[in-house]
Amino acid sequence: ACDVADSADESITVVTGPNSGGKTRLLQGLGLLQLMAQSGLYVAAAEANVPMRSGLFASVVQTDSADQLEGRLGQELVRIRTLFQHIRPRSMILLDELCSGTNPSEAAEIVLMVLGLLSELTPRAYITTHFLDLARELDVKRTLPQLEFLQVEIAGDESTYQFIAGVAGT
C-alpha cells in the first residue's frame, strides 16, 4: 500500500527516484484509481477522495524499434504534442519519464516548457523524471508555485515502494 496525499486539487507532482523504485507503478495505480472512481466503481484503497476529472491522459515511455520513423527526441516531441492536443483544463495527466533518452540540455528546456504550459491548464499531473538537478532547482526556486515533489523512499539500499516529499538525492 502507498499513501499519496495531494496538497492542491490542481497541482503538478514531479516524482523522482531510482530505477525499479516504483515510480511507473505509482502512475499506473493512480491512473487505475482515477478511472475506477470516475466509472463509479469501488477503488482498491483503504480510503480515497477522488475528484472528478475532465479527462485522463496517460503516457509511458515506449521501447525503441527498428521500424520507428522518429528518433527519441522526435518521439518525445510527438508525445508532448499529442498531450497538448488532447488535454483539457482539470484533466489528470500521467507522464512517465518525460524526455528520457534526450540530450540533457535539450530535455531540460523541453521539461520547463511542458511544466509551464501545464500549469496554465490547471491539471492534476504526475510526471516521473531522472533529471534530478533540474528537479532540485525547481524545488529550490519555486518559480511554478503549484509544483510538488515526491521521491521514492529508500531504506538502506532498497526502495520501500513508498513515496515521501522531496527530490531524490541520486
Side-chain angles (χ1 to χ4, degrees), residues 1 7-8 25 33 39-40 48 54 61 65 71 81-82 84 89 95 99 103 107 116 118 122 127 132-133 142 154:
S7 64
R25 297 298 167 257
L33 181 124
S39 298
S54 62
V61 174
S65 67
R81 182 182 70 212
T82 302
F84 285 105
L95 283 176
C99 292
N103 171 321
L118 283 177
T122 60
I127 300 170
L132 301 180
D133 291 337
R142 292 292 172 176
I154 303 294

Side-chain angles (χ1 to χ4, degrees), residues 14-166:
V14 177
V15 184
T16 59
N19 290 328
S20 300
K23 299 181 304 295
T24 299
R25 297 298 167 257
L26 174 69
L27 294 187
Q28 290 171 337
L30 291 169
L32 286 171
L33 181 124
Q34 185 70 43
L35 189 61
M36 290 174 71
Q38 213 147 315
S39 298
L41 301 171
Y42 288 104
V43 298
E47 181 181 332
N49 181 3
V50 184
M52 296 297 281
R53 296 286 167 203
S54 62
L56 174 62
F57 182 92
S59 179
V60 296
V61 174
Q62 297 178 349
T63 57
D64 293 331
S65 67
D67 64 343
Q68 69 189 39
L69 299 175
E70 298 282 347
R72 288 189 126 172
L73 177 59
Q75 282 183 312
E76 191 64 2
L77 294 175
V78 167
R79 179 167 82 138
I80 292 167
R81 182 182 70 212
T82 302
L83 164 69
F84 285 105
Q85 286 174 334
H86 291 92
I87 63 168
R88 295 172 288 192
R90 297 197 33 80
S91 291
M92 177 177 237
I93 298 162
L94 306 170
L95 283 176
D96 195 25
E97 298 297 339
L98 182 58
C99 292
S100 70
T102 304
N103 171 321
S105 61
E106 289 175 336
E109 291 299 318
I110 294 169
V111 169
L112 288 172
M113 177 195 68
V114 169
L115 292 175
L117 292 172
L118 283 177
S119 67
E120 295 177 19
L121 294 172
T122 60
R124 182 63 193 114
Y126 290 89
I127 300 170
T128 65
T129 186
H130 284 286
F131 295 108
L132 301 180
D133 291 337
L134 177 60
R136 274 188 222 98
E137 182 180 331
L138 289 169
D139 188 24
V140 169
K141 289 186 177 178
R142 292 292 172 176
T143 54
L144 295 170
Q146 67 273 42
L147 276 183
E148 298 178 354
F149 297 88
L150 284 179
Q151 62 179 314
V152 173
E153 182 182 65
I154 303 294
D157 291 335
E158 300 201 10
S159 171
T160 65
Y161 302 104
Q162 297 295 309
F163 294 85
I164 57 176

